């Protein structure tokens, strides 16, 4: 049975993951006002799904080591910590969950499907984290947060679809770069 | 050795920013919420954060009003007020976190033995957000010059945007990694602090004042009476 292999990160890996995090945060900049103003559960994840999954999947194709997505989550969380402390937990826990699940299923980043699942599911996993934060801090019950169930289901489905779409686009970009010998 | 002068110790600011963020949101529905906010605003003013508060206040008022306006769609009068308060509750936390200088935070991280690669990565993220903002601007200008429009040819626009951007990411990170390696940076070697961030007397005073006030409000929140 294949086991998850944990390899050491070199300074090159860390630098690349940090730079890709910076670009990911910048790419999600245009949707930030929407994320900040809309309170409906799932809207934030829906808006962030595409930019996050595109860039994180490129990052994972370059640094194919277990823990890469969690490191991206840690860096973006630390950056967001200075704006909204709770966002740190949101980012970090979501990356931990999606990477954990992807690696449990497929064991290694050498297969493209692991990258697809890991970065594609990241935004989806921010939803339960947001629910937990809202229950703990805003005293808002699950039903209050969900509101109209149909809209909520559509948002969750949309988040998942956009996440996987972004991850597919990211993989395509990585394929082209690999063909050109740049990755 | 570095004296934090006007700013508080970065770790202290970060910890209290987190506490005030959480407590602010928890206390929103309490009768004494405005007194709570006022208490911490006074403490921050005593510690010379007036300028920062003034800077963020317009944004908080606009954002808070917007949140309240959205809540009017299906919320009661109290819900509208609480959604404004939720944004207003962030003022003390944001004031503290905005006062943190990233370089000082990284140096403090090093002092408390946070792994070197974490603080290095964090610093790169902060530094490169600005650099890539210019890169993205340049790429978008090139796209406009070539007459590519997202509305007409979205796939071509995507290629023209993402490929050059990722190439820049690769070349910049490659150069930066080489540059760091030649300066003996490594994930295995422990780094030394370029300057020591000291924990001065005003930090102790701030910690004692804020903790005492916070303890009183937590006592009130859990049902205690004064």
């Amino acid at each position: 049975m294949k086991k998850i292999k944990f390899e050491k990160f070199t300074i090159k890996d860390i630098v690349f993951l940090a730079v890709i995090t910076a670009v990911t945060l910048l790419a999600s900049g245009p949707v930030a006002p929407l994320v900040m103003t809309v309170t409906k559960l799932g809207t934030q994840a829906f808006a962030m799904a595409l930019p996050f999954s595109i860039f994180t999947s490129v990052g994972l194709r370059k640094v194919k080591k277990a823990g890469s997505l969690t490191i991206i989550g840690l860096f973006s969380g630390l950056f967001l910590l200075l704006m909204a402390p709770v966002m740190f937990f949101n980012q970090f826990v979501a990356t931990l969950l999606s990477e954990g699940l992807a690696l449990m299923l497929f064991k290694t980043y050498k297969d493209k499907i692991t990258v697809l699942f890991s970065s594609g599911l990241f935004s989806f996993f921010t939803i339960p984290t947001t629910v937990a934060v809202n229950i703990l801090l805003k005293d808002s019950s699950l039903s209050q947060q969900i509101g109209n169930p149909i809209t909520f289901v559509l948002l969750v489905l949309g988040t998942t679809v956009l996440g996987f779409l972004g991850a597919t686009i990211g993989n395509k970009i990585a394929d082209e770069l690999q063909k050109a010998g740049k990755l | 050795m570095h004296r934090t002068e006007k700013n508080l110790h970065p770790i202290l600011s970060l910890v209290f920013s987190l506490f005030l963020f959480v407590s602010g949101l928890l206390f929103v529905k309490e009768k004494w919420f405005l007194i709570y906010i006022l208490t911490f605003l006074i403490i921050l003013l005593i510690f010379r954060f007036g300028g920062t508060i003034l800077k963020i206040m317009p944004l908080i008022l606009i954002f808070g009003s917007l949140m309240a306006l959205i809540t009017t769609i299906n919320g009661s009068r109290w819900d509208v007020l609480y959604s404004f308060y939720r944004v207003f509750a962030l003022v003390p936390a944001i004031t503290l976190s905005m006062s943190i200088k990233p370089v000082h935070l990284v140096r403090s991280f090093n002092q408390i033995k946070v792994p070197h690669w974490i603080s290095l990565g964090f610093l790169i993220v902060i530094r490169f957000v600005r650099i890539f903002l210019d890169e993205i601007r340049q790429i978008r200008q090139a796209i406009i010059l070539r007459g590519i429009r997202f509305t007409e040819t979205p796939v071509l626009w995507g290629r023209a945007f993402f490929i050059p951007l990722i190439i820049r990411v690769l070349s910049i990170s490659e150069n930066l990694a080489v540059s760091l390696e030649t300066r003996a940076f490594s994930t295995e070697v422990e780094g030394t602090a370029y300057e020591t961030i000291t924990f001065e007397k005003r930090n102790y005073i701030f910690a004692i004042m804020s903790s005492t006030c916070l303890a009183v409000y937590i006592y009130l929140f859990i049902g205690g009476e004064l």
Side-chain angles (χ1 to χ4, degrees):
Chain A
M1 203 176 116
K2 255 201 293 189
K3 273 187 179 173
I4 304 168
K5 201 175 153 195
F6 290 96
E7 290 168 81
K8 269 196 174 172
F9 286 90
T10 60
I11 201 84
K12 227 177 190 179
D13 301 330
I14 298 295
V15 168
F16 182 76
L17 292 175
V19 174
I20 209 85
T21 307
V23 180
T24 310
L25 288 167
L26 260 180
S28 22
V31 290
L34 181 77
V35 172
M36 286 168 81
T37 46
V38 179
T39 48
K40 178 116 188 77
L41 182 67
T43 322
Q44 293 98 328
F46 180 80
M48 302 295 251
L50 199 64
F52 259 86
S53 52
I54 291 177
F55 289 104
T56 50
S57 56
V58 175
L60 295 180
R61 285 289 299 276
K62 169 87 175 158
V63 185
K64 295 173 183 174
K65 290 178 183 173
S68 295
L69 189 75
T70 311
I71 289 179
I72 293 179
L74 179 73
F75 289 157
S76 61
L78 278 172
F79 182 81
L80 294 167
L81 189 72
L82 300 178
M83 294 163 208
V86 172
M87 284 297 285
F88 171 78
F89 301 103
N90 202 337
Q91 294 280 311
F92 188 63
V93 173
T95 49
L96 206 63
L97 289 174
S98 63
E99 182 161 42
L101 181 73
L103 286 175
M104 258 188 347
L105 290 173
F106 309 106
K107 313 292 179 202
T108 170
Y109 276 128
K110 300 260 175 332
D111 306 320
K112 282 181 199 169
I113 193 151
T114 322
V115 176
L116 195 78
F117 261 80
S118 195
S119 46
L121 284 175
F122 163 68
S123 293
F124 168 80
F125 278 114
T126 58
I127 299 174
T129 325
T130 311
V131 171
V133 166
N134 286 347
I135 289 173
L136 287 171
L137 296 182
K138 295 182 184 171
D139 199 19
S140 171
S141 69
L142 186 62
S143 56
Q144 267 178 324
Q145 290 181 54
I146 288 173
N148 183 351
I150 299 167
T151 327
F152 176 70
V153 170
L154 285 175
L155 279 172
V156 173
L157 278 176
T159 304
T160 317
V161 170
L162 280 181
F164 278 105
L165 179 72
T168 312
I169 295 171
N171 265 322
K172 286 242 181 247
I173 294 171
D175 282 341
E176 285 205 30
L177 292 170
Q178 212 160 28
K179 263 188 230 163
K182 293 278 178 192
L183 205 66
Chain B
M1 198 181 290
H2 175 80
R3 288 178 172 275
T4 43
E5 288 166 6
K6 191 188 153 204
N7 295 335
L8 295 167
H9 192 281
I11 303 287
L12 184 77
S13 296
L14 199 66
V15 169
F16 271 95
S17 167
L18 189 65
F19 282 160
L20 293 176
F21 186 89
V22 175
S23 60
L25 292 176
L26 280 175
F27 300 160
V28 156
K29 291 183 181 173
E30 299 299 323
K31 277 181 225 159
W32 38 262
F33 172 74
L34 285 177
I35 303 170
Y36 156 81
I37 289 288
L38 200 66
T39 311
F40 280 97
L41 285 183
I42 290 169
I43 292 177
L44 290 170
L45 282 173
I46 293 170
F47 284 85
R48 289 180 281 169
F49 284 107
T52 319
I53 295 174
L54 273 179
K55 252 189 238 171
I56 59 167
M57 209 44 112
L59 200 74
I60 289 289
L61 290 176
I62 294 169
F63 183 42
S65 310
L66 201 70
M67 289 284 282
L69 202 71
I70 292 167
T71 317
T72 50
I73 299 168
N74 58 359
S76 69
R77 202 161 53 103
W78 287 109
D79 291 333
V80 174
L81 187 70
Y82 292 150
S83 54
F84 180 77
Y85 277 1
R86 262 184 207 115
V87 180
F88 201 54
L90 305 179
V91 175
I94 294 177
T95 306
L96 279 177
S97 61
M98 268 184 69
S99 72
I100 302 170
K101 284 191 178 152
V103 175
H104 291 165
L105 182 64
V106 169
R107 283 173 189 159
S108 311
F109 277 163
N110 286 341
Q111 276 171 242
I112 58 165
K113 305 284 176 207
V114 168
H116 200 47
W117 61 268
I118 296 181
S119 43
L120 175 74
F122 175 54
L123 205 59
I124 292 172
V125 175
I126 293 171
R127 181 91 183 90
F128 279 82
V129 161
R130 283 181 202 156
I131 291 174
F132 275 101
L133 198 64
D134 290 335
E135 289 290 337
I136 288 176
R137 216 170 280 151
Q138 279 179 19
I139 293 168
R140 284 176 65 187
Q141 276 172 355
I143 292 174
I144 293 167
L145 280 174
R146 287 162 64 194
I148 302 168
R149 288 207 174 90
F150 181 76
T151 45
E152 290 166 11
T153 47
V155 178
L156 188 62
W157 190 94
R159 281 179 69 98
F161 179 75
F162 287 113
I163 302 283
L165 183 63
I166 303 289
I167 299 265
R168 282 300 287 152
V169 168
L170 287 165
S171 71
I172 286 177
S173 63
E174 199 80 21
N175 288 338
L176 186 63
V178 171
S179 165
L180 285 167
E181 276 169 347
T182 53
R183 284 167 177 80
F185 271 86
S186 161
T187 46
E188 285 155 24
V189 179
E190 222 176 84
T192 49
Y194 175 70
E195 59 179 349
T196 314
I197 311 285
T198 53
F199 204 86
E200 292 161 54
K201 206 159 70 180
R202 68 193 305 266
N203 291 303
Y204 289 107
I205 299 169
F206 177 84
I208 292 166
M209 277 175 82
S210 301
S211 310
T212 313
C213 293
L214 207 55
V216 170
Y217 287 112
I218 290 171
Y219 174 71
L220 287 174
F221 180 69
I222 54 173
E225 278 177 34
L226 285 178

